[in-house]
Amino acid sequence: MSNLLRTLRQAMTIARRDFIATVFTPIFLLFLFAPVIMGSFGAIGGMGAASVADGRADKTRIVAIVPDANARTIAEADTRLRAVFRRDEEAPPGLTTLRPAGDPAAQARAAFASKDYEATAVLYGPLETPQVLYGPRGKRAADYLGLLAAETLAANRLNGDVPRVTAVKTALERQGGSAGNRRQSASFAVFGVFLLNLFLASQVVGTMAEERNNKVIEVLAAAVPLESVFLGKLLGMFGVAILFVGFWGTIIAKLGSLLPPDVASALAIQAAVGTPAFVVLFVTYFTMAYLLLGSAFLVVGAQASTPREIQMLALPISVLQMGMLALALAGTARPDGWIATVAQMFPLSSPFAMAGRAATSPDLWPHIAAIAWQLLWVTIFITLGARLFRRGVLQSGSAKPFWKRARG
Amino acid sequence: MTVNDPAVFAEHLVKRFGERRVVDGIDLIVPRGAIYGVLGPNGAGKTTTLRTLLGIIEPDEGRRSILGHFSPREASDRVGYLPEERGLYPSMKARDAIAFMGALRGLDRRTGRTRAAEMMEAAGLGHAIDEKIKKLSKGMAQLVQLLGSVVHRPDLLVLDEPFSGLDPVNQEKLEALILAERDRGATVLFSTHIMAHAERVCDRLAIIAGGKRRFEGTVDEARGTLPSRVRYLPARPQAGVAEVLPHDATPDGDGWRFQLPREGIEGLLVTLIERGYGIGGLSIERPGLHDAFVRIVGRDAAEGEPA
């Protein structure tokens, strides 16, 4: 059996043990459903905030102080214009009409103090030269009231015979997506790879501590090269990550199929390399980011001998991950800039940045080069980690530095 | 590599920790099929020697080969190892732990599990096959780890202080297992500071102290480094017997003790009888390995070592 095959076989033996030891525990269920728990807290908070907002929105009004003759026309104009708003939050508050009484300006001011509703903007005066008062955050509502005045005036001049035009609407797909959409897809790719790794890669940090605490490391180190131990631990936890991603990926895909077509279309990825290649590259870069960050964390974590030391590593690890995200996102904002090049070249940010590049640039060859480059660094990290571990933990290595040994 | 290569070969092995030479130029040749003991007091360098031989740590000087391979990694699938600091995954079942250790050495998992069950039954641990390690006693866990080190039927079995922590019954089981491994054709290399075990099972042994090899040979050769001692009890105690006995004779109760003379004891016995002291009792005691060990490593170094 060749050394490579033996190394892989040994690594897979360790990976299998780690995978089983991690997955077949009650704690894993907690880990698997952590997004549900996080989502539940988010939903509860969101529902509370929405409830407060809805209660406020129910009472919010725009007010038009117009004679009875114009009240119906302005209401019809409001109905016509309101139809273009897609979501409730974009629409102006509901319209209330008041009959002018006495001083319209004073009546308008008084409307802001009404207990029956909460006025954001109030229109009064002749429609040719309407006056609009508006409160905090009522500027758009004031504009809308001005528009309603113009529509009502036009309808009056046409004696209510407003032309009804029904346009023939045809959806047209832009070939390859717009630059804006591609940039949006790039940001999505960077953030997606980051988010998955934020959850999963940091799990690797403490895995060597188990072997150190149980003293199993001596058995492993005698049987297999430390490089196999490190690779095995990385692959074992990667299996856990794949299980996690597969589980949630399936659920999200199922939920996605239930979305209305126009929503699904709006959410669709528009990548320069094409969707199939983009999906493959996204998965590849997720894997590479996991292996790179995981191997770096494994190396650092292997030097820690107590749970406290491992906990202390959590902050610098999070900072490092955030730094890589920031670098990669800065690169996607200017795909041809020097920051993008740095982000694509720097080993730890390269997978994030290259996932973004897949959305903005159609060339495939840089990805082949980048994947080879990233694999090289995974190998370097694992080899370096094994050496550090051998020297620091197993107390191996020579008392002489390697350059002195090389000289004899 | 040939079948005549020794199972383990080391030449001028040196390992430093900082400025301290923990292993200081050790030479070792362990013949194939032998049970070979590495004896030494605490801190003698036994464990470091074994770890260096196995490639867990690299020597600073010298060279070593395992089963004919100068890179121990190349022979790792044919080696079994029980480290001094026992270690198993606490949440693993005993059978799986043994199979896992076999799998690390290239044994397929199914075979490993089958053999694990058979070996546990044979070792009297049948009731614990599916027990988690954390539920086993320390001694049972140690036996499980030992079985894990031989489940792949290695050509070389290296055991670091295998008897420590075991009760007398399990120590006996371990001795039987070592002999069985030798009978199967394996070479067994183990370190210990319990002389009784080494005396019973070792074909050859090395005694090391202060990182240096102080003795290499058979148990008999080790014991031969000290002369036998004679205990003589006169049949008719009378004054003047001391003048007949060798100069190193010392009183011991009603009798005397002295080293067996180089020329033998026959002449002395004739003299004693002729002078009328007679032979009330006579025994020639060969020195034990413990005595030889103490003499070889020095009393200071050996103090505190159980026999």
Side-chain angles (χ1 to χ4, degrees), chain A residues 3 6 9-10 13-14 16-18 210-211 214-216 218-226 233 390 394-400, chain B residues 15-18 51 54 56-58 60 73-77 81 83 85-90 92 100-101 103-106 109 145:
Chain A
N3 281 342
R6 180 190 285 177
R9 186 209 74 208
Q10 292 164 334
T13 301
I14 291 165
R16 186 177 180 282
R17 202 293 313 177
D18 273 30
E210 184 184 10
E211 276 71 14
N214 297 334
K215 301 187 173 74
V216 181
E218 188 80 1
V219 176
L220 298 183
V224 302
L226 278 174
K233 303 209 85 51
R390 195 176 289 127
L394 297 181
Q395 295 194 307
S396 184
S398 172
K400 283 185 188 174
Chain B
K15 180 68 201 172
R16 298 186 202 87
F17 289 152
R51 294 175 88 217
L54 289 169
I56 298 171
I57 54 179
E58 291 300 312
D60 294 315
R73 291 286 167 213
E74 289 173 17
S76 67
D77 284 357
Y81 174 53
E85 287 195 323
R86 318 286 187 245
L88 292 166
Y89 291 107
M92 248 187 181
F100 171 71
M101 289 167 70
L104 289 174
R105 305 279 188 178
R109 208 172 70 84
Q145 185 162 3

Side-chain angles (χ1 to χ4, degrees), chain A residues 1 3 6 9-10 222-225, chain B residues 1 6-8 32 53-55 64-81 104-106 152-158:
Chain A
M1 186 185 285
N3 281 342
R6 180 190 285 177
R9 186 209 74 208
Q10 292 164 334
V224 302
Chain B
M1 182 189 74
V8 178
R32 287 182 186 248
L53 289 173
L54 289 169
R64 84 289 207 206
S65 76
I66 294 285
L67 299 171
H69 296 274
F70 283 100
S71 168
R73 291 286 167 213
E74 289 173 17
S76 67
D77 284 357
R78 296 165 56 205
V79 177
Y81 174 53
L104 289 174
R105 305 279 188 178
H152 58 297
R153 295 180 183 156
D155 294 330
L156 172 65
L157 179 60
V158 180

Side-chain angles (χ1 to χ4, degrees), chain A residues 144-160:
Chain A
Y144 182 71
L145 277 172
L147 197 59
L148 282 182
E151 284 287 310
T152 306
L153 197 62
N156 284 345
R157 289 186 178 162
L158 292 168
N159 291 323

Side-chain angles (χ1 to χ4, degrees), chain A residues 131-273:
Chain A
Q131 301 286 316
V132 182
L133 299 178
Y134 63 91
R137 289 186 293 171
K139 177 74 167 60
R140 282 191 67 227
D143 292 341
Y144 182 71
L145 277 172
L147 197 59
L148 282 182
E151 284 287 310
T152 306
L153 197 62
N156 284 345
R157 289 186 178 162
L158 292 168
N159 291 323
D161 191 16
V162 179
R164 297 277 187 266
V165 176
T166 306
V168 178
K169 292 179 274 188
T170 306
L172 184 67
E173 295 233 349
R174 192 192 294 264
Q175 290 299 314
S178 67
N181 283 340
R182 286 179 182 176
R183 214 163 287 166
Q184 187 181 325
S185 297
S187 298
F188 165 80
V190 171
F191 199 72
V193 172
F194 165 76
L195 200 63
L196 290 173
N197 275 282
L198 181 70
F199 274 129
L200 303 169
S202 54
Q203 301 290 319
V204 181
V205 175
T207 54
M208 285 300 280
E210 184 184 10
E211 276 71 14
R212 290 186 65 174
N213 292 337
N214 297 334
K215 301 187 173 74
V216 181
I217 189 63
E218 188 80 1
V219 176
L220 298 183
V224 302
L226 278 174
E227 287 79 359
S228 292
V229 177
F230 274 62
L231 183 61
K233 303 209 85 51
L234 201 55
L235 293 179
M237 291 310 287
F238 183 63
V240 175
I242 290 293
L243 184 64
F244 181 92
V245 171
F247 178 78
W248 284 107
T250 306
I251 288 178
I252 289 167
K254 290 288 177 196
L255 289 176
S257 67
L258 301 176
L259 289 174
D262 55 335
V263 176
S265 165
L267 293 174
I269 295 294
Q270 292 180 333
V273 293

Side-chain angles (χ1 to χ4, degrees), chain B residues 156-180:
Chain B
L156 172 65
L157 179 60
V158 180
L159 311 169
D160 194 359
E161 298 286 0
F163 297 100
S164 68
L166 290 181
D167 61 41
V169 174
N170 281 323
Q171 287 186 12
E172 210 165 279
K173 280 183 187 173
L174 177 55
E175 272 191 22
L177 187 141
I178 289 173
L179 292 169

